[in-house]
Amino acid sequence: MATRIAQRREQSYVAGEWLESENAISVSDLADGGTFAQVAAADRSVAEAALEAAHEIKPELRETTVVERAQWCEEIAAGIREREEELTEVIVREAGKPISSARGEVEQAATRFDRAAEEARNIVSKGEYREGSTEGHEGWQAIVKHEPIGSVLCIAPYNYPLATTALQAAPALAAGNSVVLKPASKTPISAAILSTVIADVDGIPDGAFNFVPGEASEIGDVLAGDDRINAIAMTGSSGAGNHIARESGMVNLHMELGGNAPAIVFEDADLADVAGSCAKGSFKYAGQRCSAISRVIAHESIHDDLVDLIEGQMDAWQAGDLFDEDTAFGPLISEEQADWVETLVDDAVEKGADLIRGGSRRAPEGVPEELGDQFFEPTLLANVPYDARIVDEEQFGPVAAITTFEDEDEALEIANGSDLALDASVFTSDHSRAMSVADRVDAGAVRINGPPSHGLGDIPFGGNKDSGIGREGLDASIHEMMRKKSIVL
């Protein structure tokens, strides 16, 4: 187990200054128990100051060149890598993520800043030239160029507190926008360290980046409802996203929200590969991922075989010391989240699902008693009835719920029956069927013969229905965070 880092106290960062607040948010240590850090809880006055700072700096940022902004991003990436060990330990403690995953998240964040620099250079170098093409406009000439959208409010989630923050902030800065970052209240420390990295980069004007940790109930509406914000990039629940959409008014909304990814498995699929993909898709980071496989929709002829194969994968997904390189599984973010997962599992069993394995809270040896109720076993449910809540609702927990279908149309009816439509997977050896089902399933992204994955942001991703607005990804996000101006010559 790692040596516990000293108790730390982080501050808000507004207009180039570090600010204290009367109140503080305590951050739980999901590795050793207790509290390992505090962060100043920004109140309304701090939020207002951040909004004004971000607004006032817009004209200056608009005059910066893409070369300057790309250099900022590259220096930020270097700064993240210099603090890799510190950031890794913080992510383990605040997010409850195994150290191997936490270390990977740090490198993902750094790479996203590097890639944002590349994508920004590429986008601004591709302006358009147009000529008039309608009667009466013959001979007209125009150029179409990109310019920053203004100020971007970044609202980050708890499950990838550094990597997702980078996916929002890197394209915003690379595009020439000012940023107001509000991290998740449960995981604000990695974002605080990122803020110090950004503050140390020469050339970034004061006010271009602002860090305002605080409770959503205190400052959420203040930030989202302010007309000085021009775009909102958010990753979070569908309920929170709908609330922000109602508050925000006429801004560019860029939201990746809740998921309930189905894995549709046909009888001709390679079931050994399917089992490995579904286990990883369901249990990685205890299922606390919007893209997690939450329901496996299997052809009725292979249901039992697939259940046996997935059960055979489950020994590899055991909880342990988060600082052990071999640990694959940790606690849920809170007891309330464990309560929610338990509710969905109990509902499925009450309605007739077979509980094959798991289904209860069980902490590994050595875990502090106060964290015990946050560990939920990897759970396998079979023959899940269609009316079970887990078929349609987001669980954010380590549960593989397997239900059956008779034919392709029924599989699609089940998959498309949820209000969530972020990701999906299709498993089959028939290419034509794979493409047909991928076209018909309602999801922002579909993976063929593998669990949902979007890389570092090279592939645009986002949701339909209640799963979001717009598409994320470094290239896609930069386009969302810039606007086009036509100049008629």
Side-chain angles (χ1 to χ4, degrees), residues 391-442:
V391 174
D392 292 327
E393 298 184 38
E394 183 174 44
Q395 51 160 298
F396 244 55
V399 183
I402 306 180
T403 191
T404 62
F405 68 90
E406 183 177 352
D407 56 33
E408 185 175 306
D409 287 340
E410 185 177 36
L412 286 162
E413 182 180 356
I414 298 167
N416 293 339
S418 174
D419 291 332
L420 303 174
L422 184 63
D423 280 290
S425 292
V426 179
F427 293 90
T428 177
S429 60
D430 185 330
H431 175 76
S432 295
R433 176 157 62 184
M435 296 305 294
S436 172
V437 173
D439 283 340
R440 295 170 64 196
V441 70
D442 193 354

Side-chain angles (χ1 to χ4, degrees), residues 221-241:
D221 289 355
V222 175
L223 296 170
D226 196 283
D227 60 11
R228 288 168 290 190
I229 290 295
N230 304 103
I232 298 176
M234 176 196 172
T235 300
S237 71
S238 296

